[in-house]
Amino acid sequence: MSLDPPTYLSSLQNNIRARPIPWEGAVRAGTITDQDLKKIKAVDKVRKEQRKQTVEADVGTYRDLLLGGDSGKSVLESAAKRADVVQYILVLTGDLLNDVPGLPSALLDHSDPYKPFLPLLSHSSNPEDPIPLLTSSVLASLISAAQTKFPKSMPQTDEALPKLYKYLAGLTKSQDSGLQDIAVQEYSAVLRTKKSRELFWKQRQETVGPLMEILRTAGGAGKDTDSTLWSGGASIRTATDAGLGSGVGLQLLYHVLLVLWQLSYEGSLVGKGLEEEHEIIPLYTQLLRLSPKEKTTRLLLSSLVNLLTPTSNRAYLLATAVSVRLPNLLSNLKGRHLTDPDLLDDLQSLTDMLNEYTSSQTTLDEYSSEVLAGHLKWSPPHRDQTFWRENASKIITDNKGELPKKLAEIMSKSWDNDKQVLAIACNDVGWLVKECPEKRGELENLGLKGRVMQLMAESDENVRYESLNAVGEWLRYSFDK
């Protein structure tokens, strides 16, 4: 999967290629050897074909130049105190890796192919420092080649990846979209194998978290604006070819979605975690509403298929998908003039999955799905006296009280941007007490009574009203007793 190199990185590399380096002075100072200089000049500022022939005729010599050998250190280690030389050699290394097909394989035959590069990732904490930026590009190319040469994993690669991920994660937290795009494209270059994706997920607080924040910004929902995701508040009209309404560029959005699509191939490993930690189903549903191009829509749909397909994810993630009205959105998407065959296949697969799920759901199943999804809305069961009369006992006792525990968890949050959730939860607690007064103690032990009483002092009028009603049910049965 080939992407155009990030503009920021290409510009930096071109500037460094154009700089004059006082090579002879570097030799006199002992920064590099005369032999090293001859090897460098033989491939520097020459035609691509000539460079290829020179390296392929003596590939072992160039491997020793870049990585070190029996005769001495890597040129990068020898020149460590000369930032201009190190930068130039890193750019040249990247060019050689691209221009000489046999060189990556030769480097990977070295006993420690990443040794001269890994220390350079921590050259400074400045995200704009050229040395770690250029180093990460070289490492991404080399690791990508290693994954092709050794598809079953290679110990040195497994040790190098977490260090590269840590550096790139720092770039994704930058406010500079150019630096973010470098990181995201390099992530994509190395997420080719199951092992690399597992390691990426293992570091998910560093790696996945910032990417999800970029997507939340693109969807118009920061960390504290969950209601936007669940209500589908944004409109397709806020998206443009240049970027979304939030200012996230289309190119960056596409590359972030590409990385998460690659990660989604480990659906059974990452599906539940992505929903629990980042509410990926509501977020992707929102992004589908906003998606300005078929290529972003295709990645969103394909990722959802990968996440919803594993049996271990279905009950939880499909329930959430129904709660955020994904089926309705898919129906709307079918009305658009979409032409990509893979997109259309995924759209149909998702539609079939959701139709199969919803057709088998009872009203209690629908209510359970909504609660377990962690976000309540005024769906029909909440106000239905018959529903509560028939199901309150099951809700309290089934699966070791899973639903009341989830209600307690929902009510423990402040929901500053969606107070309606608290009002609905109070309503539900009131019904449970009314229909199963003998279970009041169990509900109280979960902290529900205490939390309902706290909410009587809420600023939101609806929350106060529903909490007062719920407390009234508790008090009524206490007095009756």
Side-chain angles (χ1 to χ4, degrees):
M1 187 180 306
S2 179
L3 298 173
D4 293 333
T7 305
Y8 188 112
L9 185 61
S10 297
S11 175
L12 174 64
Q13 291 167 332
N14 288 334
N15 288 339
I16 291 170
R17 289 186 192 103
R19 290 178 194 166
I21 301 291
W23 292 113
E24 285 72 17
V27 172
R28 287 194 299 273
T31 302
I32 60 172
T33 67
D34 189 54
Q35 284 300 108
D36 287 344
L37 180 56
K38 288 178 181 176
K39 296 170 196 170
I40 291 167
K41 286 194 169 183
V43 293
D44 186 31
K45 294 181 171 59
V46 298
R47 295 191 314 274
K48 179 178 177 178
E49 190 57 36
Q50 182 181 340
R51 173 181 286 166
K52 178 174 177 288
Q53 290 174 359
T54 301
V55 175
E56 287 182 341
D58 198 5
V59 72
T61 296
Y62 281 92
R63 178 181 61 213
D64 291 347
L65 172 72
L66 298 175
L67 301 182
D70 296 336
S71 57
K73 297 179 180 179
S74 155
V75 66
L76 288 167
E77 294 170 313
S78 301
K81 294 182 180 178
R82 283 285 302 273
D84 59 336
V85 174
V86 171
Q87 290 174 23
Y88 201 91
I89 295 299
L90 286 169
V91 172
L92 182 61
T93 303
D95 292 341
L96 293 175
L97 289 172
N98 289 329
D99 295 346
V100 186
L103 181 61
S105 181
L107 295 181
L108 292 166
D109 287 335
H110 190 278
S111 60
D112 198 350
Y114 308 117
K115 182 185 175 186
F117 304 110
L118 290 172
L120 298 178
L121 290 176
S122 51
H123 182 262
S124 84
S125 58
N126 178 5
E128 296 182 7
D129 185 333
I131 287 179
L133 275 174
L134 297 166
T135 301
S136 70
S137 177
V138 169
L139 279 170
S141 296
L142 197 53
I143 288 172
S144 179
Q147 292 168 338
T148 301
K149 182 170 181 172
F150 305 105
K152 291 188 177 179
S153 185
M154 170 181 167
Q156 296 96 322
T157 299
D158 295 344
E159 291 173 13
L161 270 170
K163 296 172 184 176
L164 178 60
Y165 287 158
K166 182 175 182 178
Y167 171 72
L168 296 179
L171 296 186
T172 62
K173 296 173 188 172
S174 166
Q175 297 302 306
D176 189 316
S177 61
L179 293 174
Q180 290 177 321
D181 201 42
I182 290 172
V184 173
Q185 289 208 44
E186 289 175 10
Y187 278 153
S188 183
V190 299
L191 285 173
R192 295 180 168 206
T193 64
K194 182 178 181 64
K195 183 65 176 180
S196 65
R197 293 188 289 266
E198 288 172 345
L199 290 170
F200 188 81
W201 180 247
K202 188 175 181 181
Q203 288 176 249
R204 61 186 177 276
Q205 284 197 332
E206 289 180 300
T207 56
V208 177
L211 301 185
M212 298 304 295
E213 198 53 38
I214 292 171
L215 293 185
R216 290 176 72 86
T217 301
K223 282 185 177 178
D224 300 321
T225 54
D226 293 336
S227 59
T228 303
L229 297 182
W230 288 82
S231 65
S235 161
I236 190 68
R237 290 189 297 274
T238 63
T240 67
D241 286 356
L244 302 186
S246 59
V248 174
L250 179 59
Q251 176 175 279
L252 179 59
L253 173 65
Y254 176 74
H255 292 154
V256 173
L257 290 175
L258 181 62
V259 168
L260 291 166
W261 170 72
Q262 290 171 275
L263 182 64
S264 75
Y265 276 89
E266 307 308 319
S268 3
L269 172 68
V270 308
K272 286 187 178 178
L274 283 172
E275 180 56 31
E276 290 171 356
E277 296 167 25
H278 301 290
E279 294 193 319
I280 193 167
I281 302 299
L283 176 56
Y284 269 40
T285 302
Q286 174 72 347
L287 290 171
L288 273 173
R289 292 187 184 99
L290 294 167
S291 178
K293 293 285 186 180
E294 279 201 15
K295 65 180 185 178
T296 50
T297 301
R298 180 177 65 243
L299 286 175
L300 289 162
L301 290 173
S302 184
S303 299
L304 286 170
V305 169
N306 290 342
L307 294 173
L308 292 170
T309 297
T311 307
S312 57
N313 293 348
R314 284 200 168 195
Y316 180 44
L317 297 187
L318 285 170
T320 307
V322 171
S323 294
V324 296
R325 302 190 289 280
L326 180 58
N328 294 343
L329 177 58
L330 297 180
S331 179
N332 291 338
L333 283 177
K334 286 187 173 184
R336 294 188 198 171
H337 183 62
L338 302 171
T339 58
D340 184 284
D342 292 332
L343 183 160
L344 293 169
D345 285 346
D346 287 332
L347 179 56
Q348 190 58 50
S349 295
L350 269 179
T351 301
D352 291 344
M353 251 191 280
L354 286 160
N355 285 344
E356 180 184 349
Y357 174 78
T358 52
S359 65
S360 66
Q361 297 296 290
T362 65
T363 306
L364 178 57
D365 289 331
E366 292 172 6
Y367 174 79
S368 301
S369 297
E370 184 184 325
V371 173
L372 293 175
H375 196 110
L376 306 178
K377 60 183 186 299
W378 282 118
S379 53
H382 296 285
R383 297 290 201 191
D384 187 340
Q385 183 175 356
T386 303
F387 168 80
W388 290 104
R389 188 185 309 118
E390 294 175 352
N391 295 296
S393 180
K394 293 178 186 176
I395 288 170
I396 294 173
T397 59
D398 282 4
N399 296 320
K400 298 180 180 178
E402 179 183 39
L403 292 178
K405 289 175 185 174
K406 187 66 179 181
L407 276 175
E409 179 188 321
I410 292 170
M411 293 181 72
S412 68
K413 301 176 183 179
S414 62
W415 297 98
D416 290 334
N417 292 283
D418 197 1
K419 292 295 185 182
Q420 172 181 264
V421 174
L422 292 174
I424 299 168
C426 289
N427 167 83
D428 292 3
V429 171
W431 277 111
L432 292 174
V433 175
K434 181 176 182 178
E435 297 299 333
C436 298
E438 71 282 3
K439 302 289 187 182
R440 294 194 312 280
E442 295 175 30
L443 299 174
E444 189 167 347
N445 289 339
L446 293 175
L448 288 170
K449 181 179 180 181
R451 180 57 172 152
V452 167
M453 293 182 74
Q454 285 178 353
L455 292 175
M456 291 170 64
E458 258 289 338
S459 58
D460 185 271
E461 180 182 355
N462 292 322
V463 176
R464 291 201 307 273
Y465 174 80
E466 297 295 347
S467 61
L468 183 61
N469 283 345
V471 170
E473 293 297 337
W474 237 299
L475 294 176
R476 181 158 70 91
Y477 284 102
S478 298
F479 292 147
D480 287 351
K481 181 180 177 182

